[in-house]
Amino acid sequence: MTAQAESTRATSNPEAGPVIEIHGLNAFYGTRQILFDVDLTVRRGEIMVIMGGSGSGKSTLLRHLVGLNTPTSGVIRLLGQDIAALGALEMQDLRRRIGVAFQGGALFSSMSVAENIMLPLQEHTRLDRKTMEIMARMKLEVVDLPGFGDLMPSELSGGMLKRAAVARAIVTDPQLLFFDEPSAGLDPAVSAALDDLIRQLRDAMDMSVVVVTHELESAFGIADRITVLDLGRILMTGTTEEIRGCDNERIQNLLNRRPSAAQVDADAYLKRLTGAA
């Protein structure tokens, strides 16, 4: 049985248990509501892709999942824990069990690649410097960047920066890994290599992975399941085949790169023009 087939079997087994549970999540920026009653479950061992167009709420959902934003209402459980109910020390322990690869890499330009990778170890462990250096080198080997630890981020290509960011995200051997637009700004060959790396990491390290992206080819290449967000609401969650075969017009517009017809509320439009509350 292939690794992909084993993963599909595992993620279809309800006994595997969820690593993420979201119930009734609502989010606002000021008076503007961004997420509406979001319900989502991510199974252990699967790659879940959260997909949607610009302004769909993908980044806001990710910020809530990694604990950067607090829900207006609703519940988010990561690895069985309600993150809103955790104290500072409990949240720190939870963050040690998750990894985040930010869009663009987000490496500190004043620090070497190895120093960037060691940051989570310095934050969440009491390991000695030598051990942290060894772990950083090990993770650079995993992402196929051996010997690059002494370089500065400015000396890396875009694809190398993404890989270095992945090395930092996995240095604590997390159970749950988040990617924010991993293929953004990369050429097709480098993007495909990064997609392969994501699948390999899931299989080799027995992690669950959540990928936020608007790149269709990447999404369908790596996902076990896909959640489609549109205007802050989940339109559908399903396998790649189910998503491709659905008859939802807005999903098909997204897949086929067709603009959706704007729905104009005349009263709301008039209020915007007049500045009425």
Side-chain angles (χ1 to χ4, degrees):
M1 181 180 292
T2 66
Q4 181 69 25
E6 289 176 350
S7 170
T8 301
R9 182 182 65 179
T11 57
S12 64
N13 179 8
E15 294 181 1
V19 292
I20 297 176
E21 298 173 273
I22 305 174
H23 302 289
L25 174 61
N26 291 280
F28 287 78
Y29 289 146
T31 60
R32 182 184 177 195
Q33 188 165 2
I34 307 299
L35 298 175
F36 299 81
D37 294 319
V38 171
D39 293 313
L40 180 63
T41 298
V42 178
R43 302 166 185 160
R44 191 173 305 276
E46 80 173 333
I47 298 177
M48 168 67 79
V49 170
I50 299 173
M51 187 176 72
S54 178
S56 61
K58 303 187 305 297
S59 296
T60 298
L61 179 56
L62 178 62
R63 289 180 64 83
H64 281 79
L65 285 174
V66 299
L68 295 177
N69 286 13
T70 301
T72 304
S73 63
V75 176
I76 301 174
R77 290 190 179 91
L78 297 185
L79 303 174
Q81 300 184 74
D82 180 351
I83 61 176
L86 298 180
L89 292 178
E90 293 169 316
M91 192 66 194
Q92 183 176 3
D93 180 66
L94 178 61
R95 285 192 170 123
R96 185 184 59 79
R97 300 162 63 197
I98 68 175
V100 185
F102 295 99
Q103 185 174 351
L107 300 185
F108 289 96
S109 60
S110 60
M111 304 170 66
S112 71
V113 171
E115 288 170 337
N116 270 281
I117 293 171
M118 289 189 290
L119 278 176
L121 297 175
Q122 294 171 343
E123 181 72 19
H124 300 300
T125 75
R126 296 183 179 179
L127 296 173
D128 62 85
R129 176 80 180 189
K130 186 65 176 178
T131 300
M132 289 191 289
E133 290 174 349
I134 292 172
M135 293 179 69
R137 286 196 291 270
M138 290 173 61
K139 292 314 191 246
L140 283 170
E141 292 276 352
V142 170
V143 301
D144 199 24
L145 288 178
F148 284 79
D150 292 333
L151 297 183
M152 302 301 288
S154 60
E155 298 176 287
L156 302 183
S157 68
M160 289 178 177
L161 279 172
K162 298 272 190 175
R163 286 176 175 268
V166 173
R168 182 175 62 185
I170 65 173
V171 72
T172 59
D173 295 325
Q175 296 169 257
L176 182 57
L177 184 59
F178 295 93
F179 285 90
D180 184 13
E181 299 285 3
S183 300
L186 301 180
D187 65 56
V190 176
S191 177
L194 190 57
D195 289 345
D196 287 341
L197 176 62
I198 292 172
R199 288 190 294 264
Q200 291 164 9
L201 287 174
R202 186 274 307 274
D203 295 336
M205 301 182 69
D206 193 27
M207 292 185 297
S208 307
V209 181
V210 176
V211 180
V212 172
T213 185
H214 68 279
E215 300 284 349
L216 296 177
E217 185 173 353
S218 177
F220 282 91
I222 63 175
D224 293 311
R225 291 193 299 153
I226 294 175
T227 291
V228 182
L229 266 181
D230 182 64
L231 300 177
R233 293 179 169 86
I234 290 182
L235 296 181
M236 181 179 180
T237 297
T239 65
T240 55
E241 292 81 6
E242 289 169 341
I243 296 294
R244 287 189 189 278
C246 79
D247 57 4
N248 183 287
E249 181 181 1
R250 297 189 73 85
I251 292 178
Q252 289 304 317
N253 286 344
L254 177 66
L255 299 185
N256 294 288
R257 301 181 184 275
R258 294 193 300 257
S260 298
Q263 301 295 320
V264 178
D265 183 312
D267 290 337
Y269 178 64
L270 181 59
K271 288 180 179 179
R272 288 201 305 271
L273 293 180
T274 60

